[in-house]
Amino acid sequence: MNKLLPQAPGPIGVFDSGYGGLTILKSIRELLPQYDYVYLGDNARAPYGSRSFDIVYQFTRQAIMKLFEMGCQLVILGCNTASAKALRSIQQNDLPNIDPLRRVLGVIRPTAEVAGKLTETKHVGILATPGTIKSESYNMEINKLWPELSVTGVACPLWVPIVENNEAEGAGADYFVKKRINHILWLDPDIDTLILGCTHYPILMPKIEQYVPDGIQIVSQGEYVADSLKDYLSRHTDMDARCTKDGTVRYYTTENAEKFKEAARIFGAEDMNVEHIDLE
């Protein structure tokens, strides 16, 4: 990454490889409506889940640089795969050389922080994409914060396609949702806190709630990421001062803008102006 000159205050950037980050942005805007936001989806190269660490890092780095060029001083990776495979390298190796005052935050740590506060049995389950499960990022983050917890992860490879093909309310979704929930509870019957480790999964919440037994808490990331961001900005007043506050939001995609708008409706997005953007 090239070194950037300090810039004037700008919007908060939210990046995702696809559409799921819209659920994160929605929760953040509900809690913090006064800020300006820029959403960038690398939809043309999605999904990231099956890609290597090096490629996810490269793509995520390109997106962050684009958001920085748009004036963002703070970027949220509203993507579990990018948070798992790229965030640490960007924070530790890139930001000090680009601009040590800018920040990039992910969605895994805020979710991990809350896990230990919610569970009573000390058994936590993670439902996520194959890439996120394989990275073991949730396991590592939770065990750093809460070493006494037992963490079990199960990959749900078909949940994202079900959502993106607008089948979340269909009968076919029931089979795959129930199958994965039953599997993780078979692996560890003592789980009392179930983390949805993918930003698409809130769209499946009615099905998930139907098949998760009573007494198990379902952790959807948006609420906790928004709470964490609010807390971060209240503790880092210097960064808060570098975030503009006119209540605006802009959307960019590496795909066709009309295709993005059509798919975004699945994620509860309002009518929006979307612009195409190139990252390479």
Side-chain angles (χ1 to χ4, degrees):
M1 287 188 182
N2 298 322
K3 192 174 185 67
L4 294 176
L5 295 173
Q7 290 187 340
I12 296 172
V14 178
F15 169 68
D16 187 16
S17 58
Y19 302 98
L22 291 168
T23 64
I24 299 293
L25 177 60
K26 181 180 179 182
S27 294
I28 291 174
R29 289 184 67 202
E30 287 173 352
L31 187 64
L32 301 166
Q34 69 272 33
Y35 292 87
D36 296 318
Y37 299 95
V38 174
Y39 183 88
L40 172 55
D42 189 12
N43 308 87
R45 301 188 293 194
Y48 280 13
S50 60
R51 296 185 182 272
S52 69
F53 274 72
D54 288 343
I55 293 299
V56 172
Y57 166 70
Q58 175 188 329
F59 288 177
T60 304
R61 183 179 61 181
Q62 290 172 347
I64 288 170
M65 284 303 293
K66 184 64 68 173
L67 288 166
F68 282 169
E69 291 169 9
M70 293 179 184
C72 297
Q73 302 288 322
L74 172 64
V75 173
I76 310 298
L77 299 185
C79 173
N80 283 273
T81 302
S83 296
K85 295 185 176 182
L87 178 61
R88 188 176 299 277
S89 294
I90 288 167
Q91 288 177 330
Q92 295 181 352
N93 302 329
D94 293 313
L95 286 181
N97 298 317
I98 304 167
D99 181 349
L101 296 180
R102 301 200 199 211
R103 293 290 181 268
V104 180
L105 306 176
V107 293
I108 291 177
R109 186 175 180 88
T111 316
E113 286 175 347
V114 79
K117 300 175 183 177
L118 295 177
T119 181
E120 295 182 359
T121 65
K122 308 300 182 186
H123 289 252
V124 174
I126 312 291
L127 296 172
T129 63
T132 298
I133 294 298
K134 187 176 181 180
S135 75
E136 296 190 343
S137 294
Y138 272 98
N139 304 59
M140 291 186 289
E141 202 67 50
I142 290 173
N143 287 329
K144 278 194 299 184
L145 297 167
W146 313 98
E148 71 278 14
L149 298 191
S150 173
V151 182
T152 301
V154 165
C156 307
L158 293 177
W159 286 20
V160 168
I162 287 170
V163 171
E164 293 198 343
N165 285 283
N166 204 16
E167 294 291 338
E169 297 178 5
D174 289 79
Y175 173 80
F176 293 105
V177 170
K178 182 180 181 181
K179 182 178 181 180
R180 292 302 173 180
I181 290 170
N182 286 348
H183 183 53
I184 197 168
L185 295 179
W186 174 79
L187 291 174
D188 185 356
D190 293 324
I191 287 171
D192 72 344
T193 302
L194 198 55
I195 293 173
L196 305 184
C198 174
T199 53
H200 282 64
Y201 294 177
I203 307 302
L204 288 165
M205 188 63 80
K207 302 288 189 187
I208 294 169
E209 290 177 335
Q210 182 178 345
Y211 295 110
V212 170
D214 292 341
I216 296 179
Q217 300 184 81
I218 303 169
V219 179
S220 182
Q221 292 179 297
E223 172 189 350
Y224 299 104
V225 172
D227 286 340
S228 179
L229 177 58
K230 181 179 180 180
D231 178 66
Y232 179 87
L233 291 171
S234 69
R235 289 185 291 107
H236 297 83
T237 54
D238 55 335
M239 177 56 74
D240 184 72
R242 297 204 301 276
C243 298
T244 53
K245 303 174 182 68
D246 290 312
T248 66
V249 59
R250 290 178 287 151
Y251 297 90
Y252 295 89
T253 177
T254 56
E255 245 287 6
N256 175 273
E258 290 303 316
K259 182 178 179 181
F260 180 91
K261 285 199 288 187
E262 181 179 345
R265 294 190 185 99
I266 298 172
F267 295 85
E270 75 277 18
D271 289 337
M272 56 177 69
N273 291 318
V274 183
E275 294 182 41
H276 171 81
I277 197 169
D278 291 314
L279 296 182
E280 297 181 274

